[in-house]
Amino acid sequence: MNFVNLLRVVVLVIVLNSFTDSGVFAQPSLKLWYDQSAHNWNEALPIGNGRLGAMIFGDPQEEHLQLNEASLWSGGPANLDPNPQGKQYLAQIREALAKEDYKLAESLTSRMQGLFTESYLPLGDVYIRQMFNGKAGGYRRELDIQSALARTAFQVGDATFTREYLASAPDQVIAVRITSNKAASINLSVSASSVLQHRVAVSGDDLLVQGKAPSHVDPSYLQTMELPVVYNDPAGCRGMRYAWKIKVKSTDGKVVASGDSLSVNGATEVLVFISAATSFNGFDKCPDSDGVDELALVNKYLDQAVKLEFPALQTRHVTDYQTYFNRVSLVLDGNKEVNLPTDKRLLSYTQGASDTGLEALYFQFGRYLLISSSREDGRAANLQGIWNHHLRAPWSSNY
């Protein structure tokens, strides 16, 4: 941020007459929106509740939600004293820096480092395949960072289909509502997969995924092991267990379990709830032999959430999220509205167009990501927040 924009921020933060009656700064809507689905993971839209995260791709025919759970890591209990001799090099490093002997300082610093602390892992993938005749048009995909709600909408013939997504901290689930303005026009299937070892079981309106994390995952920048991913290290703690469950409900459609997927036919509204947990039981315990009952946690969260109607679930989610988000507002020259998809708006900005609203959106998007990837009593946000689809992520998606 240059000095002029920094000065704008300082001045505007103290302009109290821009407060609304509710004590929150008035500002235009804060939405990222696109007129096409995501072509890759980096274009997907992130939602999260501090523990559960999802990247939303928004394809009309095959919706893809890539999932994460904040405690899902490779490895076992932490070594709390990995380099007891490390502290003795601190004074020597400071002395080398004072003498501008940076080569020596660098070599000494490597002697202070601890052990590799394993890898943050992806949980799995949900696919919602929607069947319809015709080509989808009138497409819009958006993320409202003021309410932490995502939405995809498109038209096929005389039917308009809408998908709404949220990751609730109060109720510890990810929820998707799919609706149509044309009765009984929703036909879809829901399936799941994971890059980790897993098994899938389907029963009634539930789809359950259970599996194990590796006991070790080599960082992606090292190519020293013949097997960089090890599941059952005989010399150490076995990897943690994980479980996640999908429940599909419909008021008027028929939900059928078939093979390893759930299908819905002839619905006007479909609700998809996702709950997940791991056996992680603290940094000092083996997550396998001393882990918590992850399936009991999954069922507890899910059983409580499905008792709520979607509007109530959404209200609880938005109210909770905005206790954090509404603490700060930023208005730069009125945050003038620019009616362009966010990717085109960003391109225009890089070519020199003035867009103070985009600058404010960028600032607030950073706050959105941190609120969505870390909450009190949970894990801190790692290098990628909470969102990671790699088994061997860049820098292990570590801290």
Side-chain angles (χ1 to χ4, degrees):
M1 180 180 287
N2 62 35
F3 176 76
V4 173
N5 283 338
L6 180 61
L7 185 60
R8 286 177 182 162
V9 174
V10 173
V11 171
L12 289 165
V13 164
I14 63 173
V15 178
L16 300 181
N17 61 7
S18 64
F19 272 95
T20 64
D21 292 339
S22 63
V24 177
F25 274 114
Q27 59 183 350
S29 62
L30 294 167
K31 290 184 179 180
L32 289 77
W33 72 275
Y34 305 86
D35 58 8
Q36 57 186 336
S37 58
H39 295 102
N40 55 57
W41 188 88
N42 290 307
E43 294 181 2
L45 293 173
I47 60 172
N49 66 3
R51 189 180 68 85
L52 301 176
M55 295 292 283
I56 303 165
F57 286 68
D59 185 273
Q61 289 189 301
E62 184 177 79
E63 177 60 279
H64 176 197
L65 277 70
Q66 186 270 314
L67 305 178
N68 287 100
E69 203 277 353
S71 66
L72 183 56
W73 289 67
S74 61
N79 182 341
L80 300 185
D81 195 17
N83 186 2
Q85 308 304 317
K87 61 184 179 182
Q88 72 185 42
Y89 298 103
L90 181 59
Q92 298 176 47
I93 293 169
R94 288 172 174 165
E95 183 180 354
L97 289 173
K99 294 178 179 179
E100 299 185 2
D101 189 346
Y102 302 121
K103 187 174 182 179
L104 175 60
E106 182 180 7
S107 66
L108 290 171
T109 300
S110 65
R111 300 181 188 180
M112 287 192 70
Q113 294 176 348
L115 301 174
F116 168 62
T117 53
E118 291 298 335
S119 300
Y120 178 57
L121 302 170
L123 178 66
D125 301 271
V126 177
Y127 296 96
I128 303 174
R129 295 176 175 87
Q130 190 167 342
M131 284 71 76
F132 48 76
N133 295 318
K135 187 176 180 180
Y139 182 90
R140 182 178 172 113
R141 175 173 60 104
E142 68 180 36
L143 172 64
D144 187 343
I145 64 173
Q146 201 153 18
S147 59
L149 297 171
R151 183 175 181 270
T152 298
F154 56 91
Q155 298 172 346
V156 180
D158 58 352
T160 298
F161 298 100
T162 304
R163 301 171 186 162
E164 301 164 89
Y165 321 77
L166 61 85
S168 169
D171 296 298
Q172 288 299 312
V173 294
I174 291 170
V176 182
R177 176 167 65 173
I178 304 166
T179 56
S180 174
N181 67 340
K182 184 178 180 181
S185 61
I186 300 174
N187 301 289
L188 56 80
S189 67
V190 181
S191 60
S193 67
S194 177
V195 298
L196 304 179
Q197 287 186 355
H198 70 283
R199 60 186 183 277
V200 177
V202 177
S203 177
D205 57 5
D206 291 341
L207 188 158
L208 174 64
V209 181
Q210 291 179 284
K212 293 272 292 183
S215 52
H216 173 74
V217 174
D218 231 19
S220 58
Y221 51 82
L222 291 182
Q223 303 298 330
T224 56
M225 293 179 65
E226 185 178 348
L227 294 174
V229 179
V230 179
Y231 271 91
N232 293 310
D233 182 1
C237 170
R238 292 163 61 94
M240 73 172 63
R241 303 182 305 275
Y242 69 88
W244 50 285
K245 182 180 282 190
I246 303 170
K247 181 176 284 289
V248 177
K249 299 178 71 67
S250 176
T251 52
D252 58 346
K254 186 176 182 181
V255 181
V256 178
S258 176
D260 59 357
S261 66
L262 297 169
S263 63
V264 182
N265 297 300
T268 309
E269 177 185 78
V270 177
L271 299 175
V272 180
F273 297 90
I274 305 167
S275 173
T278 75
S279 61
F280 176 76
N281 194 24
F283 65 89
D284 56 345
K285 297 181 179 65
C286 177
D288 180 46
S289 58
D290 300 316
V292 301
D293 186 339
E294 69 281 5
L295 186 55
L297 290 173
V298 167
N299 288 330
K300 182 183 77 170
Y301 299 140
L302 199 57
D303 291 347
Q304 293 174 351
V306 297
K307 294 175 183 177
L308 298 171
E309 298 292 331
F310 188 85
L313 192 74
Q314 178 174 293
T315 297
R316 286 163 57 85
H317 158 68
V318 173
T319 300
D320 168 79
Y321 169 77
Q322 289 186 341
T323 60
Y324 300 95
F325 187 81
N326 285 353
R327 292 172 178 176
V328 178
S329 291
L330 176 61
V331 179
L332 302 173
D333 293 344
N335 290 7
K336 296 174 183 177
E337 295 280 5
V338 176
N339 189 28
L340 282 174
T342 303
D343 53 340
K344 296 180 175 63
R345 191 175 175 185
L346 181 60
L347 178 61
S348 178
Y349 185 84
T350 62
Q351 294 172 344
S354 174
D355 192 342
T356 55
L358 184 65
E359 294 170 356
L361 179 62
Y362 186 74
F363 167 78
Q364 293 286 30
F365 185 54
R367 297 185 60 242
Y368 166 83
L369 292 174
L370 190 55
I371 295 168
S372 301
S373 61
S374 182
R375 292 293 188 94
E376 291 181 61
D377 300 324
R379 259 54 64 192
N382 62 54
L383 282 176
Q384 295 184 195
I386 198 175
W387 304 278
N388 165 45
H389 64 304
H390 293 290
L391 180 57
R392 299 176 69 197
W395 297 103
S396 302
S397 193
N398 215 306
Y399 288 105

